[in-house]
Amino acid sequence: MAGKPKITKKEIVAGLRALGLGPGSNVIAHTALSSLGEVEGGADTVIDALIEAISPGGTLVMPTFGAASPFDAAASPTNLGAIPEAFRKRPGVRRSRHPLSNVAAFGPRAEHYTQGHEDADCPYLEGTPYWKLAADGGYILLLGCDHDRNTTLHAVEAAADAPYLAPKTASWI
């Protein structure tokens, strides 16, 4: 008995278009290759499909947080999976220089989304890729994962000034 057929780039593009992504879309993608099943060509096929679905004119953004210290935007790996790791290494992809909450971006607005991230007071608020994507009406894509991997929720928490984000002190006297 033959195994399940591999997922193709054409199928991924069709699925993304069915979700409403199209030419000119700006999207932050949170991904999990292992949850997609067997993809013909692996992570690179998923990235190619994402770029094709939003082209021409769209920009693809992915979180690329990592544990490397010191952080080097050009060389530090991400620990967020095979797709973001392959994406950050691609020619033409820009990466923000925030040492903890960095993102990588490809497309006509890549520089806009990544520029100045390290200077923001909070890595998720005004001046950050998250804030800029929201201002542009960008999309949030969860591909093979759910909201527990959705880094844009940190922007919502920060904007709401969630009380659990504030430093806590305790007196033991």
Side-chain angles (χ1 to χ4, degrees):
M1 181 172 184
K4 189 174 179 182
K6 293 182 179 182
I7 300 166
T8 66
K9 177 181 159 191
K10 183 178 179 180
E11 291 170 319
I12 297 170
V13 171
L16 294 169
R17 294 261 167 93
L19 289 173
L21 294 181
S25 295
N26 298 307
V27 60
I28 185 166
H30 303 79
T31 62
L33 183 61
S34 61
S35 297
L36 299 178
E38 196 168 353
V39 177
E40 186 177 280
D44 284 318
T45 295
V46 176
I47 297 164
D48 291 342
L50 287 162
I51 292 170
E52 183 176 319
I54 63 173
S55 294
T59 299
L60 175 60
V61 178
M62 287 190 196
T64 54
F65 308 172
S69 182
F71 173 70
D72 178 346
S76 295
T78 178
N79 58 6
L80 296 180
I83 296 171
E85 179 64 9
F87 182 62
R88 74 155 191 95
K89 293 178 179 179
R90 282 190 166 208
V93 170
R94 294 184 52 89
R95 194 173 188 190
S96 69
R97 296 184 337 166
H98 193 279
L100 300 174
S101 302
N102 51 79
V103 302
F106 179 81
R109 296 193 54 78
E111 183 174 350
H112 168 71
Y113 290 133
T114 58
Q115 186 175 31
H117 191 188
E118 70 279 8
D119 297 326
D121 290 336
C122 170
Y124 301 102
L125 289 178
E126 194 168 354
T128 71
Y130 299 96
W131 202 262
K132 293 172 184 179
L133 273 161
D136 286 350
Y139 293 86
I140 301 166
L141 175 67
L142 305 176
L143 188 61
C145 58
D146 57 23
H147 281 290
D148 70 335
R149 301 289 181 226
N150 183 357
T151 61
T152 55
L153 291 178
H154 298 310
V156 174
E157 292 168 328
D161 198 20
Y164 54 82
L165 297 177
K168 303 288 184 211
T169 58
S171 172
W172 300 102
I173 301 176

